[in-house]
Amino acid sequence: MVYFLARVFAYIVLMPIFCIKVIDKKNLKIKSGAVVICNHQSNWDPIILGHSIKTQPVCYMAKEELFQNKIANWFLRRLHAIPVARGKSDLKAVKTALTTLKNGKILGIFPEGTRSETGEILPFEPGAALMAMRAGVPVVPVYIQASYKLFHQVKLYTHPPIDLKEIVGEKTNSAAVEKATEYLRGIMIEMREKACQK
């Protein structure tokens, strides 16, 4: 219910302000487990992405510090957020995320790990590829093109689901994860280039 109300609020607020347009909406009709990756330029990004996927909630991994306040903790958990300790290996968060995917839900990840101030695609962290490969789910890349100025259009360019096993095979060792990570970054760079040409 909280997620639904947040979606309604986002629709009322975001559509008039940003005029959101999704290119190839069919790619976001996700009805089973998937990792959705996206470029990251603004704090608006997770809200815009979550708003644009209508089939089911998007679960994000958020830094555990945000959960320390009781009200924020209550709200974030009802938005399906997963607390994660930054800067160290958090096995509990990884297990929770994998369970989320295996239960047929969507995990949203910004693989750059931080916001890009220039808009260039930064190096990817391996987490997104690793999660998708271990859970056996596809990756759906999304590129957000936006200035986030009032009444300027925000465009989401979407890519068809990618089965990483077709790219790197069945193994999930470090070499395979690295190859998959670079492949996904290459896709995101291509999406950015195509968006900038339009």
Side-chain angles (χ1 to χ4, degrees), residues 105-117:
K105 297 181 180 180
I106 299 170
L107 183 66
I109 296 180
F110 297 93
E112 292 167 286
T114 188
R115 293 190 299 275
S116 171
E117 295 183 0

Side-chain angles (χ1 to χ4, degrees), residues 72-110:
N73 179 67
W74 181 90
F75 186 69
L76 287 169
R77 290 188 184 278
R78 278 154 184 78
L79 291 181
H80 309 281
I82 301 169
V84 59
R86 298 179 69 181
K88 60 181 180 180
S89 179
D90 190 339
L91 294 178
K92 182 179 179 182
V94 171
K95 289 180 180 179
T96 301
L98 287 174
T99 299
T100 296
L101 290 170
K102 291 177 180 178
N103 286 340
K105 297 181 180 180
I106 299 170
L107 183 66
I109 296 180
F110 297 93

Side-chain angles (χ1 to χ4, degrees), residues 124-156:
F124 275 17
E125 299 290 339
L130 179 62
M131 293 286 186
M133 293 164 71
R134 285 193 175 176
V137 299
V139 178
V140 180
V142 176
Y143 177 77
I144 297 179
Q145 184 184 50
S147 64
Y148 288 118
K149 294 179 181 178
L150 292 180
F151 311 115
H152 283 64
Q153 190 174 60
V154 171
K155 288 186 179 180
L156 280 76

